[in-house]
Each structure stands twice: as C-alpha cells, then as structure tokens.
Amino acid sequence: ELSQFARGSCCHIGYVLYQEYRDTSKQQEIEQRRQRDGLPTAGSGVTAVPALQLQLRNSMHSLSLWQNLEAVKDSGLLKTLEAKEIILQEAMFELVTSEASYYKSLELLETHFLRNPVLVNTLSQSDMHFLFSNIEDIMKASERFLMDLEHRIEESILISDVCDIVYCHAVKHFQVFISYVINQAYQEKNYRRILQENTLFRENISILENQPKVKGLSFTSFLILPFQRITRLKLLVQNILKKVEENSKREKTAILAHQELERIVKECNEGVRKMSRTEELISIEKTLEFKSKSVPVISHSRWLLKKGEVQQMSGPKSTRTMRSRKLYHPIYLFLFNNLLLITKRSSSGEKYQVLDSCSRSMLRTEDLEDQGQMLACVFVLKLLENQEDREVSYMLKTESISEKMRWIYALTPNRRTRFLSTSTHQPDSPQVQCIQSYSSQEPDELSVEMADVLHILECTDDGWMLGERLHDGERGWFPIRVVERIMNAEVRAQNLKECQRIQQVQEGAQGARAASRGRRPAKSPQYTPTWTDL
C-alpha cells in the first residue's frame, strides 16, 4: 500500500485523463516561458520556481506541484533547499504524476472500449487486433513502471532520482512501444474502413464517446496515447537533464535514460516512415508513364520529399506574351530525396507522363524575386544533367511566394543562400514557441506540438516559416499562426544553452562508448539560421 505522501501525489492526479494532463502541462510551459519573456531577468541564470497552476478542463483541480503537497510543506524542506533543487524536484515529480495520469487513460481505454461487450460483439477478431494491437502489453509495461515510480516516492519526501527507473524500464520493457507505434498506420486505415463498413460499430462507438467518463474525448485520442507518451517521456527526462548538477550521479542516469528513450522514439519514427514511404512509392509508380527512358522509382533508399503542380513559363519574354495565358503550361513535379521527375498530368488526372528526370544532386535554382512583381512567384530550375545527359532550364511559377520558397528549399537545400549556414547556432538566433499544435499536410512540413521551441531558418510574407526544432533537430515548414516569437534575448540564449548541454553530454557519452570499442564517434552537423525579414 502506498504511503500517505505517495497517495497524496500520484493517486490524487490519477483520475485526470492524460489527454487533459498533457495539454494543460504544455499550456503551463508556454505560459511560464511567456512570463520569463516579459519580465527582466534576474541575472543569476536560475529560473524562478513556477507559481502558475492552470485549471484542468472539466475539473475543479489543477496540476499538482511537488512544493504544494501537504507533506512537503509540513517537512520544512522548502525553507532549506536551494531553488535549483526545488526546480529539479518539480521536474521529477511531473514525470511521476504524468505517468499516473497516462495509466489512468490506458485503464479507461481497456475498460470502456477494449473490454466493453457493446463494442467487442460488433467486431471480428482480426478487426479487434487491427484496432488495439498490443495495447495490453503497453498497459503491463506502464503498470510496472508506475509501481516502481510510486515506490521511489514512498521512500522519501525528497525524491532521490527517477531517471534510473526510466532507464531500467526502457531497456527491459519499452520495446512494446515500437511494435504498437509501427502498427498505427494500419490501425488508422482499418479504423476508417470499419467505420464505413460496420454501422453497428459506428453507432456504438459514438454512444461510448459521449459518456461522461470519457470527458468529450474521441476513441482515437486514446489509441494514439502510447506514441504521445513515449515522446513526451523523452522530453520530461530531457527537462530533468537540463536541471541536474553537472558530473553528478543523477546526470549520468538522466543521460542513460534519455539515450535509451531517444533510441526507442527513433525506431518508432523510422518504422512508421519506412512503411508509409514504401506504400507511397508503390502508389506513385502505378501512376507514372515514361515517355522514353524508364526510371525505377521504388528503392529502399528513396522517399518522397515534395510533390505538386507548378506552371512552366515558355515563349519570348515580351510584355504582350507575359500577359498571355498561353505562356503558362501546368507540369507536375515529384521530388524524391535523390531524384526529380518532371511530369504532365493526363486528361483523366489519374496518370502522369514523365517528361524529364534528373538526379537531385544535379539540380540548381535561381530566385527571380528581385526582378519585379510579375516575377515574384517565379524561379528558374536548372537540370545540369537530365535523362538525356543534357543541361536544361525550366522557368517555373508557383501560386504563392511561400510555395516558391518551399520548392526552392526542397529542390536545392544546400545552396549558398540565406536558408542555412554551416556554423553553429548563434546565441541570439531567432526563436519561436509553438502555441497551437499543427499536423503536417505535406511531406516538406513539420508537425509541431504546443510548447515546442524552434529556431527560425526562413520566413515568408504570406504566413509560413521554415524552422528547426531545438530538442530533436527536425526541420520543416509550418504556419506562422501556430507560433509566437520569443522576444527576450536571455530566454533565447538559455534555451540554446540547455539544448547545447544535452548535445554535449550525449556526445561525451557516445565518445566514451566509442573509445571503449576503439573507434571515434561521428559528429552530427549543426546549422544556424540567419535573421531575415522577421
């Protein structure tokens, strides 16, 4: 049985569904950063203990803070501990309470959906497997993990560490996340199919979603919990790593836990990408018709970066011709990581006749933005060596300036322009924080979550940004409306400092492991944005 302290912490928040907990926690992170951004800095480099507590949706309770627990208040610890240690306690405490909330949501997924006769009786055994996959294994892993975290809290009001427990469970039990996440593509596809084909299931799922205990949340919001949790867990450990004392025992366990979680998240992402990319290549190849030289599209080392229609401009560049509609001819581009196909859509719109192709490394672009308003959305694409071993140029027009910039960046990401620099990030590089989640709609876009911090690499006048997320280095385009600028230079410097510390300790740990195996580690490249038009 849990001690009074453990019951007052984990069990108190256990009834809060993880979807609520996660959203509120991220909103709190955003608000704390806003507070820091708007206030003068103390100069000590220590962030004040957050006093903010946001109300949870559909609940009279707020997120618990370690310092607000009665047992902590009564102990007198808050008067003796340094501010740094209190901040660290809060970071470790959040990992534990969020796991309790996550497990509560998994329990509801099991009792309300998975074990519910109303639902089960409407599904075949194969459909049950498609929808729920190995969720029972996920639940067992979470139950074991939460039990060990609760036992640690029972030991002392002052939490000694949690990352050692995270590391142990990540190594022994968290492989089940990879299987579940990789199956999610089939899960989503089959869920849509079952909704269409099975009227009784569709009616019953609607009834279950509308019951009070679900708090207005959708069935699918429960199905995606495992991937959300494993990625969030990595960020929670990363947050602890930022706050632990350098060269301490807790730093070592945090590094180990973070590396193991990063490996799992990476395997999840790569597994999902590999499946979706292969399916996408097969689908694209079925639509292609080669005019002359056929190019094999399907390859394990190939994936789609961007596709879409642009207007090819042709004819003499006289004013009269520029106004003529005949100047523009629609063509459709398929850009892969190592190949460009220039095609023409068939009259039916289902097939694409390949007109030209070129290796991506042999592409060059020229922006015509400085040559007048009429050419604002126009750029020149050069194929240094096309399928006929000739150099050819295409003058292309897009619908918007942002679409032009996205094509230029996708076609020639390493060109010497304002996009990228090979030096490291500068302390005062532009940063934004995400205030609204956004799911990518195109291959060149970046899905961002609330509270993500990103370096800005490019900004267009019509509402798009190219950014690099600090915590994982992922890049892509996203709408400006989902982010807000971080104005305070010291806050930006602190974000960068924390990010660099994590990179350094990771590289140090990799170097130590590589040295023990007698080889040198490979260094990951770093880039910096240039402040332009922000």
Side-chain angles (χ1 to χ4, degrees):
E1 191 176 336
L2 287 177
S3 67
Q4 184 180 353
F5 173 61
R7 283 200 303 271
S9 56
C10 298
C11 296
H12 165 73
I13 203 162
Y15 68 88
V16 177
L17 294 181
Y18 185 66
Q19 294 95 317
E20 296 179 281
Y21 188 103
R22 184 170 171 269
D23 287 350
T24 307
S25 177
K26 289 190 171 195
Q27 187 62 48
Q28 184 165 300
E29 194 177 329
I30 290 168
E31 293 300 331
Q32 286 168 10
R33 201 174 285 123
R34 280 174 177 164
Q35 286 180 356
R36 289 167 59 203
D37 205 6
L39 294 172
T41 53
S44 61
V46 179
T47 307
V49 178
L52 179 70
Q53 283 185 286
L54 297 177
Q55 295 299 311
L56 287 159
R57 262 186 311 133
N58 307 325
S59 168
M60 294 303 291
H61 295 271
S62 56
L63 291 186
S64 293
L65 290 175
W66 176 82
Q67 63 188 303
N68 289 346
L69 296 173
E70 289 302 321
V72 174
K73 289 178 181 177
D74 296 343
S75 70
L77 274 172
L78 297 175
K79 295 176 183 176
T80 59
L81 289 177
E82 289 184 12
K84 281 183 178 180
E85 181 60 34
I86 295 175
I87 292 170
L88 178 57
Q89 289 292 313
E90 295 290 3
M92 293 191 289
F93 184 69
E94 185 185 357
L95 189 146
V96 181
T97 53
S98 63
E99 186 65 29
S101 177
Y102 165 66
Y103 184 68
K104 178 65 180 176
S105 285
L106 286 183
E107 277 189 322
L108 193 58
L109 173 61
E110 181 186 45
T111 58
H112 192 63
F113 295 105
L114 176 61
R115 302 282 176 218
N116 196 321
V118 172
L119 200 66
V120 173
N121 294 338
T122 66
L123 292 171
S124 67
Q125 197 170 350
S126 61
D127 283 345
M128 282 290 292
H129 177 70
F130 278 133
L131 286 185
F132 296 101
S133 189
N134 61 328
I135 195 66
E136 289 172 312
D137 295 333
I138 297 277
M139 281 200 68
K140 287 174 187 172
S142 179
E143 188 176 22
R144 281 190 296 255
F145 182 43
L146 182 57
M147 195 176 292
D148 282 354
L149 290 172
E150 288 174 336
H151 286 162
R152 177 61 55 82
I153 285 183
E154 280 185 291
E155 292 170 7
S156 172
I157 293 170
L158 192 66
I159 306 168
S160 59
D161 196 4
V162 291
C163 290
D164 56 336
I165 298 172
V166 176
Y167 174 69
C168 179
H169 282 261
V171 170
K172 291 181 180 178
H173 307 302
F174 285 0
Q175 287 294 116
V176 293
F177 280 98
I178 299 170
S179 308
Y180 186 89
V181 172
I182 290 174
N183 282 330
Q184 272 192 318
Y186 293 120
Q187 189 184 59
E188 292 168 17
K189 192 181 293 183
N190 280 282
Y191 178 60
R192 288 194 298 270
R193 174 186 60 79
I194 295 165
L195 278 178
Q196 287 180 339
E197 297 175 356
N198 191 329
T199 308
L200 192 56
F201 170 81
R202 187 168 66 245
E203 291 171 355
N204 288 340
I205 204 78
S206 179
I207 292 167
L208 293 177
E209 283 180 333
N210 286 317
Q211 290 187 11
K213 65 171 74 175
V214 183
K215 299 186 179 182
L217 296 163
S218 68
F219 172 52
T220 51
S221 78
F222 288 88
L223 292 179
I224 62 172
L225 285 171
F227 186 50
Q228 289 182 336
R229 182 56 186 167
I230 197 68
T231 51
R232 184 66 178 164
L233 197 56
K234 188 190 92 165
L235 292 179
L236 290 169
V237 169
Q238 191 167 296
N239 194 35
I240 293 169
L241 181 52
K242 291 173 185 176
K243 294 168 172 56
V244 291
E245 190 179 345
E246 290 187 30
N247 302 315
S248 64
K249 185 181 177 183
R250 287 194 294 203
E251 185 189 62
K252 288 176 184 175
T253 59
I255 291 168
L256 288 171
H258 187 264
Q259 286 177 334
E260 193 59 27
L261 289 171
E262 195 165 60
R263 179 190 65 79
I264 292 167
V265 170
K266 197 172 181 180
E267 280 194 44
C268 287
N269 284 329
E270 286 179 354
V272 170
R273 281 173 182 163
K274 190 176 286 186
M275 285 178 64
S276 62
R277 283 170 175 176
T278 303
E279 285 186 9
E280 195 167 39
L281 288 178
I282 293 169
S283 175
I284 289 171
E285 190 176 62
K286 287 177 182 176
T287 67
L288 297 176
E289 294 176 338
F290 289 88
K291 191 177 179 182
S292 54
K293 188 178 179 182
S294 179
V295 179
V297 172
I298 299 172
S299 166
H300 290 298
S301 58
R302 179 171 293 149
W303 60 88
L304 183 72
L305 292 179
K306 189 169 176 60
K307 65 179 180 179
E309 187 172 275
V310 295
Q311 300 293 323
Q312 181 186 357
M313 299 175 69
S314 55
K317 300 188 185 78
S318 67
T319 306
R320 201 178 76 178
T321 314
M322 288 288 279
R323 290 173 182 161
S324 168
R325 290 181 182 179
K326 293 179 182 178
L327 177 68
Y328 304 106
H329 301 283
I331 58 174
Y332 201 92
L333 306 182
F334 289 95
L335 178 66
F336 305 95
N337 62 309
N338 54 7
L339 175 71
L340 170 69
L341 297 180
I342 298 175
T343 74
K344 180 182 178 182
R345 201 197 293 254
S346 67
S347 55
S348 66
E350 295 176 0
K351 295 285 185 180
Y352 298 88
Q353 186 181 44
V354 179
L355 307 174
D356 210 344
S357 64
C358 182
S359 167
R360 187 170 174 235
S361 62
M362 300 299 283
L363 300 175
R364 299 294 183 268
T365 55
E366 181 188 346
D367 193 351
L368 301 180
E369 66 172 352
D370 58 348
Q371 296 186 27
Q373 188 60 38
M374 196 170 283
L375 297 175
C377 295
V378 176
F379 69 99
V380 175
L381 172 63
K382 291 181 181 178
L383 281 55
L384 299 185
E385 195 175 294
N386 73 348
Q387 61 188 19
E388 296 172 354
D389 298 328
R390 293 188 300 110
E391 180 177 329
V392 292
S393 291
Y394 292 86
M395 187 176 281
L396 304 177
K397 185 177 187 292
T398 60
E399 288 187 358
S400 65
I401 293 173
S402 59
E403 190 61 20
K404 179 189 72 171
M405 299 307 290
R406 286 168 66 166
W407 269 116
I408 290 174
Y409 178 70
L411 289 160
T412 52
N414 297 320
R415 71 194 191 115
R416 293 180 180 274
T417 67
R418 58 187 175 180
F419 279 127
L420 302 174
S421 167
T422 52
S423 60
T424 58
H425 286 302
Q426 300 302 311
D428 199 32
S429 297
Q431 291 177 12
V432 292
Q433 71 167 339
C434 180
I435 55 172
Q436 180 187 334
S437 295
Y438 175 76
S439 296
S440 61
Q441 308 296 312
E442 300 288 341
D444 65 335
E445 292 178 9
L446 180 67
S447 292
V448 289
E449 295 279 353
M450 285 171 61
D452 280 352
V453 177
L454 304 106
H455 275 297
I456 299 310
L457 307 173
E458 181 60 67
C459 182
T460 69
D461 293 335
D462 55 352
W464 286 85
M465 280 183 170
L466 173 66
E468 177 183 282
R469 190 162 42 220
L470 255 65
H471 75 76
D472 62 6
E474 289 281 325
R475 287 184 188 164
W477 294 87
F478 50 87
I480 290 175
R481 61 180 167 77
V482 304
V483 298
E484 66 181 15
R485 279 268 306 281
I486 297 175
M487 306 299 293
N488 190 305
E490 194 158 331
V491 173
R492 294 198 297 269
Q494 182 67 21
N495 290 338
L496 188 59
K497 184 180 177 184
E498 290 172 349
C499 182
Q500 287 173 338
R501 184 188 171 193
I502 290 166
Q503 287 178 344
Q504 285 165 2
V505 294
Q506 282 183 321
E507 285 173 4
Q510 288 170 357
R513 286 203 306 272
S516 67
R517 293 194 295 266
R519 59 186 177 81
R520 295 175 65 185
K523 281 194 174 182
S524 56
Q526 290 182 307
Y527 302 92
T528 186
T530 303
W531 182 277
T532 56
D533 304 325
L534 288 180

